[in-house]
Amino acid sequence: MPQKNELGVLILAAGLGTRMKSDLPKVLHMLGDMPLLTRVIKKIAHLNPSKIVIVVGHKAKMVKEALGGFLEKYPVKAPHFFGNRAKVRGKAEIVFVTQKLLKGSGRAVQEAAPEIKKFRHTLVLCGDAPLFRTETLIKMRAFYLKNRPDCAVLTADLAEPGGYGRIKRDPPKLGGVEAIIEAPDASPAELAIKEVNSGAYFFSTRALLAAIKRLKRKGSKKEYYLTDSVENILKAGGQVLAFKTSDETEITGINSRKDLAGAYKMLNKRVLEKLMAGGVTIADPENTYIEEGVKIGRDTVVAPGMHIRGATVIGKNCKLGPYGLVEDCKIEDGVEIKFFSVLTLSRVRKGSVIGPFAHLRPASDVGPDGKVGNFSEIKKSRIGRGSKVPHLSYVGDTEMGERVNVGAGTITCNYNGSAKHKTIIGKRAFIGSNTNLVAPVKVGAGARIAAGSTITEDVPPGTLALARARQIIKKLKKRPAPLETHKR
Ligand code: UD1
Ligand code: CA
């Protein structure tokens, strides 16, 4: 559906989310590293819609603001996020509609009608159901375009259909749907139906708009059910088809904290299984947490307790963990990240070793064949080829050449209380233990710094700098008191 004005997407996200018992709107709850609603938007961006209309209502302002921030952080970019409109990857436009009368999914579509009416087709999704696969929606779109019903609804068979709307099939017509019955209004026979509504539908916009006009308030909350549009479409002589996915996890809707935890488990399992199928060893899938956007190469081994998030890309033959966090990083082939290390927005080049207990803060770049060892923290620094920061150091705002050795306890004093300054260390320099490098400062190539120095001036290449008080030995006037004074 590449042409303009063909596909509009409507995401329903105005609900009160009562069952979450939260001050935070439901669609902003985090599922792993992303809010529910952001996940939905990211996935449909691949369908190249012309426009994404998001119906907000409950705490609308909070949803809009939070979403702006997340869209900027994640690949679905909204560079010009302002007011009610933003751009997704420079293609789809994001529009917010604020639902005034919070009376059900049908009402949400009614209030958004002016924004979708010019599109031939409308994909309706729920902001609280982010586990569908993009591929499934692409297949469903093909099914919808081939069969041309007025509505195609995504369904699945559930062993425990619980509170989902039940799909009442119309036996004579293959794949035909007669009605969607909401669980509270269902008869015992209807409740026994295993096939349920995901809340995702492709509609012919014209049929949808006609059907929602005739919705009536229903149930104990007197709401307009979008699901009743099925019957209205049939009454008008139209057709509704079901598109069933074989993976029931895809249709998971999140209404409670329990659902949220369950959804995260399903999502994580799915990600790990895909990685394992691609040749990654996950030693203990029950205790490994990897986000959907992460890529990992063959023969990499992920030990228990690892959390890998964001847009992280990991190469082949790496060893990760046990325990640790890697977020938005690029890790090249053959890297080892040992026990309890934390890495964010950093790059680790081929063959480097990080940890145990190391911290790479944003914009660190290590290696190839570099080493950052125990209790060392790196921030916004380049650690050159073969350079080592093996123990107890802080290196910030530093440009370090090749084969530098940084002694234990070295600190780059990059902050003078008001501004940050750079430290430059030339190749093959040797920094003695417990050195303070007071920035801005340059250490030339091959220079050596004596242990315990506080370096405040540049050190020329190939020289030795000593910047510490000379040791003095004095005779004691009195013999010191014995250490053990107590009598036996
Ligand atoms: C809905 C479906 C149900 C389906 C299930 C799948 C209806 C009537 N029922 O039930 O058939 O099996 O989703 O998860 O649609 N919303 C608004 N405005 C409102 C009310 C809700 O935008 O006034 C939004 C919510 O934010 C949510 C979506 O619509 O994203 C669905 O609402 P919710 O109350 O969660 O419906 P369910 O009971 O889950
Ligand atoms: Ca729901």
Side-chain angles (χ1 to χ4, degrees), residues 94-256:
I94 291 188
V95 178
F96 288 100
V97 168
T98 306
Q99 186 183 340
K100 296 198 178 65
L101 178 65
L102 288 178
K103 283 288 173 192
S105 52
R107 181 70 200 173
V109 179
Q110 285 175 346
E111 294 200 19
E115 290 289 352
I116 54 168
K117 65 172 189 266
K118 72 170 180 186
F119 298 100
R120 241 168 95 197
H121 311 287
T122 302
L123 167 61
V124 178
L125 297 166
C126 294
D128 66 352
L131 256 57
F132 61 86
R133 289 187 175 84
T134 305
E135 305 91 86
T136 302
L137 282 195
I138 289 172
K139 281 186 203 150
M140 183 176 162
R141 179 176 64 184
F143 167 86
Y144 164 80
L145 289 176
K146 185 166 163 248
N147 295 291
R148 285 294 168 133
D150 298 283
C151 169
V153 51
L154 179 65
T155 70
D157 287 332
L158 298 191
E160 289 176 31
Y164 289 91
R166 304 300 199 267
I167 300 291
K168 218 170 158 184
R169 289 272 192 164
D170 175 8
K173 284 189 219 149
L174 203 64
V177 176
E178 196 179 271
I180 300 173
I181 315 286
E182 290 308 298
D185 312 322
S187 68
E190 287 164 342
L191 276 179
I193 297 172
K194 303 282 186 217
E195 187 179 14
V196 302
N197 172 23
S198 67
Y201 328 73
F202 277 95
F203 281 100
S204 128
T205 308
R206 201 176 334 122
L208 172 65
L209 296 181
I212 55 161
K213 266 189 199 143
R214 281 177 279 123
L215 293 179
K216 293 196 181 73
R217 296 174 88 149
K218 256 172 80 173
S220 57
K221 289 192 234 150
K222 295 259 174 289
E223 289 187 344
Y224 298 94
Y225 293 172
L226 174 60
T227 43
D228 284 348
S229 59
V230 167
E231 285 160 84
N232 290 350
I233 286 173
L234 296 187
K235 270 183 217 151
Q239 188 193 28
V240 179
L241 296 179
F243 181 81
K244 198 195 276 187
T245 165
S246 55
D247 179 1
E248 61 173 77
T249 65
E250 285 196 271
I251 68 139
T252 306
I254 295 163
N255 296 318
S256 65

Side-chain angles (χ1 to χ4, degrees), residues 15-38:
L16 292 166
T18 322
R19 291 162 279 183
M20 291 301 280
K21 305 232 162 45
S22 178
D23 293 332
L24 190 69
K26 176 165 72 176
V27 292
L28 290 187
H29 277 263
M30 299 292 280
L31 180 64
D33 64 1
M34 235 182 278
L36 302 182
L37 184 55
T38 315

Side-chain angles (χ1 to χ4, degrees), residues 288-335:
T288 304
Y289 304 92
I290 304 181
E291 297 291 341
E292 252 182 325
V294 172
K295 293 192 179 70
I296 307 185
R298 282 163 80 115
D299 294 315
T300 284
V301 177
V302 184
M306 282 303 294
H307 297 249
I308 309 176
R309 298 183 189 156
T312 296
V313 178
I314 296 173
K316 294 187 271 189
N317 295 307
C318 295
K319 278 192 190 165
L320 309 173
Y323 299 95
L325 171 64
V326 179
E327 188 164 15
D328 295 322
C329 287
K330 178 156 175 43
I331 311 291
E332 297 182 0
D333 296 347
V335 164

